[in-house]
Amino acid sequence: MEKPPVKMMDPTLAEMGNHLSDAMKILESGKLETEQGQEGRKMSWKEIPGPLQGDGQDVVSILQLVQNLMHGDDEEQGHRRMQFVGEQGHMALLGHSLAAYISVLERERLRKLTTRILSDTTLWLCRLFRYENGSAYFHEDDREGLLKVCRLVMNTHYEDFTTEGFTALSSKHPVIYQSAACRPGLGQHLCSQLGLPLSCLCVVPCNTMFGSLHQMDVALLDKLVKDDRDSGKLPLLLIANAGTPGAGHTDKLSRLKELCVQYNMWLHVEGVNLATLVLGQVSSTVTAATKCDSMTLTPGPWLGLPAVPAVTLYRHEDPALSLAAGLTSSQPVEKLRALPLWLSLQYLGHDGIVERIKHASQLSQQLLEHLKTLASIKTSVEDELNSPVVVFRFSHENSAPSSGGSVEGSYAGERDILDAFNRWLGDQLAEQVPLSGVDVVELEDEGTCVRFSPLMTAAALGTQENDVAALVEKLAEMIPLLCCTLRLRQDFRDEVLQQASLSYIEDLNWPGLGVVRFEPRTTDLDEDKRQDRVEKINSDLLKKLMELDTDLNFSGGPEFSEEKNCIFIGIATEDLDVAELVETIMSLGRDIEESGKLFENMTEVVRKGIQEAELQLQKANEEKLMEEGVLRQIPLVSSVLNWFSPVQASVKGRTFNLAEGCLDSTEPVYSIKAQMRKEDSPDSPKANTRRFPGQKLFRRPGAGSDSISETSSVSQLEESFRETLHSQAADEAEVPQERPAHILEETAIADQRVPEGQEAESVETIR
């Protein structure tokens, strides 16, 4: 059997595909330049751009520069989080290159090609999303399609709008209705681009007493439309949701469509749930979207296609008005916007598209089933079993408190505290399971929640069932921690309030055990000095707490926190002893405060002691001069005189007491030490086994702090100095007349003991 002849590909197209493939390999590779190239990059591309090189650069060098700009200083592959670009993504990127190449064709050939691309893509999308007899408008900004639809509706209702402009609206002011659950800023953007005042925008509240909290209140909408018609306004367009941006809920589209037909309004629908229209089984609430006048689709994130345009499907019989509104164009180049999507849809095929949407929906159902088995988790999916968006929130209402405390009953700020806990929960889940694609969302009624929307993230991140299982596993580990922390939070507050040296800081936005500040007991300082001392003590206290061997997390709080000079304590565990924790914080704070006072006074005490020592040494030198005479002060002459007539000088030393800040005589020390040395054996060890109090006493959870009193650091420091004094004084008592001068110089600063026979030689050392 003969093989069919192979058609030759255009060499330019083949070369373009090869260049794109090579470029993607370079940009996606984790290989950076050599060390020489890195040094050159540090000196070139980070600086101010210089002039273009005269002879130009090759493609590889330019792509390497692009890679450096893309990744910055991240030399580790783990820090680069980019969208997963598969083969279908390469086809979309190739479409942009082909669009530029096709645009240089002759006009007639270009017109035929763009018409074919536009008609094929429109037909495929209408069949996929069950939108019969529709037209398509491709746009980069996903709000642009709705804006052009508004222009189309205005041209339909105001015949002279294209010629008279805003003056044609003076007879009847148009009104655009949107749900309160729509994405923020959408209505304001439309009014700004259309040149309409904000009074033309009417926000319809969601149901407050009956029905879903996220669905538009149809009865209230009916009343608002009637009131506007009675006041001489023109109801123009209604924006509904098939999947709200926050929680993924769908409005009652069937009832809204009936209302729009009744009042001759245009119905536009948007939302992530429109993606499920390609599936075989679709909920009736979403199926009603196929009867609307227009809908906006975003196939890029749904299918994992980078840089593909959004699509607005609409139905209208007058092509002239569509052209005037900008929904269609006579320029062939603008029709090439559909080329990336045209290539990608053909590459995926019908089954591939359905499989990706189905996979995302199954991930949502998998997570929803597991969440129903977890206590303390409240979902916001309600009765929409086929919703591809799962929103859940940690709440203690469904959990039984463990022994030792209770969280039942409402208290001031409970909503804010739970919001802070859920914000921490969402951030932790996103960090520990990044492939899940969860994020934090703020809902008006529920508060802060965690959202899982695989239709918007799964195709780009490559989310699989094992990622959902990992997400559930991490969630199950964090729920007990949140329950325990919420239970112990009040206990921590009560314990801190019982301590006079600690202040409890009420921060409802902190997701943890609480916030505490150590307050010094000194009240004789001005406000500035007191604030400096508070900052210094709490900063040192935080460092010591962070060194403790504990599961608690101590920090200085968020970067933009209103509270300063505080210690923020994070999530707690079940076995945490709150009383022991507070006692440890207070004891460490007191130790730091006492140590600070000691070292603050040390400088002044030592300075005065040195001045007094200098005066006494000067006086001792004068007495020595008077006793020995001038001749004995000359080195050679003194040796001769001492040979014939030796002088017996008594050794009278001085010791500097750091605790009392004064100079004392060493005679009592000499006598006591000499007597003790006679009783001790000559081989007894002299090493001091005592140690200063350190943080090791508090490095284990549950360790008490009663062994360290308020003045322990001061008393033990004084005792250490005195023991050093006794040991050195005993050594000097052995041979007081034969002690070398350099030994006295080494001990002059430590204990300020100066034998009377060698004061002159030690003056320079003290100075």
Side-chain angles (χ1 to χ4, degrees):
M1 182 177 180
E2 297 182 359
K3 296 182 180 180
V6 180
K7 297 182 179 180
M8 298 298 295
M9 181 182 295
D10 186 347
T12 305
L13 292 178
E15 184 179 2
M16 182 184 303
N18 294 333
H19 283 326
L20 178 63
S21 178
D22 295 340
M24 293 300 298
K25 290 179 180 179
I26 295 177
L27 295 178
E28 292 180 349
S29 64
K31 299 179 180 179
L32 298 179
E33 317 97 313
T34 60
E35 295 182 359
Q36 182 178 3
Q38 291 180 356
E39 293 295 330
R41 174 169 60 88
K42 292 178 181 179
M43 299 302 295
S44 60
W45 70 273
K46 283 187 177 181
E47 303 296 334
I48 298 176
L52 290 174
Q53 297 184 10
D55 53 352
Q57 301 186 53
D58 55 19
V59 177
V60 177
S61 300
I62 298 175
L63 291 177
Q64 186 66 65
L65 175 61
V66 174
Q67 181 192 19
N68 296 334
L69 294 174
M70 289 168 55
H71 301 302
D73 296 332
D74 296 335
E75 297 185 2
E76 298 182 7
Q77 187 71 18
H79 291 287
R80 305 175 187 170
R81 182 176 178 179
M82 296 181 60
Q83 177 176 336
F84 174 76
V85 181
E87 290 294 333
Q88 73 276 8
H90 288 185
M91 293 299 297
L93 298 177
L94 179 62
H96 292 276
S97 301
L98 287 176
Y101 174 67
I102 294 174
S103 63
V104 301
L105 295 176
E106 57 180 337
R107 186 172 184 84
E108 184 61 25
R109 188 182 298 270
L110 176 62
R111 185 187 63 81
K112 293 181 180 180
L113 179 59
T114 54
T115 303
R116 170 65 183 276
I117 293 174
L118 185 63
S119 61
D120 287 351
T121 310
T122 302
L123 178 62
W124 296 336
L125 291 174
C126 289
R127 288 181 177 177
L128 279 171
F129 295 95
R130 307 181 183 187
Y131 198 80
E132 299 178 357
N133 301 323
S135 302
Y137 172 66
F138 301 88
H139 46 94
E140 302 298 332
D141 189 348
D142 55 2
R143 301 172 300 180
E144 187 70 18
L146 177 57
L147 177 62
K148 297 298 177 64
V149 166
C150 290
R151 294 186 186 276
L152 173 62
V153 180
M154 294 176 68
N155 289 330
T156 303
H157 286 275
Y158 298 93
E159 297 180 357
D160 299 332
F161 180 72
T162 55
T163 57
E164 298 183 7
F166 69 93
T167 57
L169 309 178
S170 58
S171 59
K172 287 187 177 182
H173 291 177
V175 182
I176 299 175
Y177 302 90
Q178 73 165 15
S179 170
C182 284
R183 47 181 166 169
L186 178 60
Q188 290 80 355
H189 175 75
L190 295 177
C191 292
S192 175
Q193 296 298 316
L194 295 172
L196 299 177
L198 291 179
S199 59
C200 294
L201 177 65
C202 180
V203 179
V204 183
C206 296
N207 291 329
T208 56
M209 298 181 62
F210 305 100
S212 172
L213 296 177
H214 305 277
Q215 291 180 337
M216 189 185 306
D217 193 335
V218 181
L220 182 57
L221 173 64
D222 190 6
K223 182 178 181 302
L224 292 174
V225 174
K226 288 181 180 179
D227 293 342
D228 290 336
R229 287 171 60 92
D230 295 340
S231 61
K233 298 181 180 180
L234 177 63
L236 194 69
L237 180 140
L238 172 64
I239 306 173
N241 292 297
T244 55
H249 291 79
T250 302
D251 291 325
K252 300 175 182 178
L253 300 179
S254 298
R255 183 71 181 91
L256 293 178
K257 178 59 180 176
E258 296 174 0
L259 198 64
C260 290
V261 172
Q262 178 182 352
Y263 294 107
N264 194 23
M265 287 193 305
W266 185 283
L267 177 60
H268 178 84
V269 181
E270 61 179 21
V272 66
N273 291 352
L274 293 176
T276 59
L277 289 173
V278 304
L279 301 178
Q281 297 180 353
V282 190
S283 62
S284 58
T285 55
V286 179
T287 306
T290 59
K291 305 300 181 181
C292 65
D293 298 298
S294 62
M295 65 169 63
T296 297
L297 310 174
T298 55
W302 299 346
L303 303 176
L305 305 175
V308 298
V311 185
T312 295
L313 301 179
Y314 65 97
R315 296 188 184 98
H316 200 266
E317 299 177 355
D318 193 346
L321 293 180
S322 301
L323 180 62
L327 289 170
T328 58
S329 175
S330 59
Q331 298 297 326
V333 178
E334 294 188 7
K335 298 179 181 179
L336 289 175
R337 292 178 181 175
L339 181 57
L341 193 56
W342 183 74
L343 294 174
S344 302
L345 293 178
Q346 291 185 88
Y347 182 84
L348 292 173
H350 182 274
D351 295 340
I353 296 172
V354 174
E355 180 62 30
R356 279 163 174 77
I357 303 298
K358 183 179 179 180
H359 173 69
S361 300
Q362 290 176 348
L363 292 178
S364 298
Q365 295 303 313
Q366 177 187 355
L367 178 61
L368 183 59
E369 292 176 359
H370 286 88
L371 291 179
K372 292 179 180 179
T373 63
L374 296 178
S376 303
I377 292 296
K378 180 181 179 181
T379 60
S380 182
V381 182
E382 298 179 354
D383 58 345
E384 300 182 19
L385 301 178
N386 297 322
S387 175
V389 181
V390 178
V391 177
F392 59 93
R393 171 181 170 87
F394 166 75
S395 177
H396 66 279
E397 297 176 356
N398 300 330
S399 61
S402 57
S403 59
S406 175
V407 296
E408 294 182 357
S410 59
Y411 51 88
E414 181 181 10
R415 165 74 178 267
D416 296 333
I417 294 175
L418 290 176
D419 287 346
F421 277 32
N422 282 278
R423 195 176 300 110
W424 176 87
L425 177 63
D427 294 339
Q428 290 295 317
L429 292 175
E431 179 181 354
Q432 299 187 22
V433 193
L435 294 181
S436 64
V438 297
D439 61 348
V440 179
V441 61
E442 301 287 344
L443 300 180
E444 182 178 359
D445 298 297
E446 286 85 353
T448 304
C449 300
V450 183
R451 178 176 57 189
F452 178 67
S453 182
L455 267 176
M456 302 299 295
T457 60
L461 299 176
T463 309
Q464 300 297 328
E465 294 181 356
N466 56 341
D467 298 319
V468 176
L471 179 66
V472 175
E473 181 180 356
K474 291 296 181 182
L475 184 60
E477 295 176 1
M478 295 177 183
I479 289 176
L481 298 178
L482 294 176
C483 294
C484 176
T485 304
L486 188 63
R487 175 175 59 85
L488 296 177
R489 189 179 176 104
Q490 185 66 28
D491 298 340
F492 177 77
R493 180 179 183 274
D494 296 339
E495 289 289 339
V496 171
L497 293 178
Q498 295 178 5
Q499 306 296 334
S501 301
L502 299 179
S503 296
Y504 181 81
I505 309 301
E506 188 70 43
D507 190 348
L508 302 179
N509 295 322
W510 172 246
L513 193 62
V515 186
V516 67
R517 179 192 294 127
F518 184 85
E519 301 287 350
R521 291 168 291 180
T522 304
T523 58
D524 55 349
L525 299 177
D526 56 18
E527 186 62 24
D528 294 338
K529 291 184 178 180
R530 187 180 183 281
Q531 290 297 329
D532 294 341
R533 176 167 293 183
V534 170
E535 180 180 359
K536 180 66 169 58
I537 292 177
N538 284 275
S539 177
D540 295 342
L541 178 58
L542 176 60
K543 293 180 181 178
K544 292 183 180 296
L545 290 173
M546 294 175 66
E547 295 174 356
L548 298 179
D549 186 12
T550 178
D551 294 332
L552 286 176
N553 180 28
F554 300 94
S555 66
E559 181 179 0
F560 301 102
S561 175
E562 297 180 357
E563 300 293 341
K564 303 297 181 183
N565 305 326
C566 300
I567 298 173
F568 290 74
I569 305 176
I571 300 297
T573 55
E574 180 66 28
D575 57 350
L576 176 65
D577 190 342
V578 177
E580 186 70 22
L581 171 64
V582 175
E583 182 66 24
T584 302
I585 295 175
M586 185 185 64
S587 300
L588 287 175
R590 287 181 176 178
D591 289 344
I592 295 173
E593 182 182 12
E594 295 296 337
S595 300
K597 292 180 180 179
L598 175 63
F599 286 108
E600 286 177 2
N601 298 330
M602 186 73 68
T603 303
E604 185 66 20
V605 170
V606 171
R607 185 182 65 82
K608 292 181 179 179
I610 291 176
Q611 292 178 353
E612 184 179 354
E614 289 180 348
L615 294 176
Q616 293 192 13
L617 288 175
Q618 183 179 1
K619 183 178 179 181
N621 288 335
E622 293 176 356
E623 292 177 356
K624 178 180 179 181
L625 181 62
M626 296 297 296
E627 180 181 355
E628 298 181 356
V630 179
L631 294 178
R632 291 186 182 274
Q633 309 305 318
I634 303 175
L636 295 178
V637 178
S638 63
S639 301
V640 176
L641 292 178
N642 289 333
W643 177 264
F644 290 102
S645 177
V647 177
Q648 298 293 333
S650 60
V651 178
K652 296 181 180 180
R654 299 288 189 272
T655 177
F656 182 55
N657 192 334
L658 287 174
E660 300 179 1
C662 61
L663 289 174
D664 297 333
S665 174
T666 59
E667 292 183 0
V669 178
Y670 272 72
S671 59
I672 297 175
K673 202 68 178 178
Q675 184 178 1
M676 294 176 61
R677 289 293 298 269
K678 292 180 181 180
E679 298 176 359
D680 295 340
S681 82
D683 297 332
S684 60
K686 301 180 182 179
N688 186 10
T689 59
R690 292 181 177 269
R691 65 180 181 183
F692 289 93
Q695 300 307 314
K696 293 183 178 180
L697 298 175
F698 304 98
R699 291 186 67 86
R700 292 183 180 180
S705 58
D706 296 334
S707 59
I708 304 300
S709 63
E710 295 183 12
T711 58
S712 60
S713 58
V714 180
S715 60
Q716 294 194 22
L717 180 63
E718 179 181 351
E719 181 181 355
S720 175
F721 276 113
R722 288 184 176 179
E723 288 183 0
T724 305
L725 165 67
H726 293 166
S727 62
Q728 293 179 353
D731 294 339
E732 293 179 359
E734 297 281 344
V735 283
Q737 295 183 358
E738 298 179 1
R739 178 175 295 275
H742 71 275
I743 298 179
L744 293 176
E745 294 176 357
E746 293 176 355
T747 59
I749 299 300
D751 51 13
Q752 300 295 320
R753 183 179 64 254
V754 183
E756 293 183 355
Q758 301 180 13
E759 293 88 350
E761 299 177 6
S762 303
V763 173
E764 295 298 326
T765 303
I766 297 178
R767 292 179 181 176

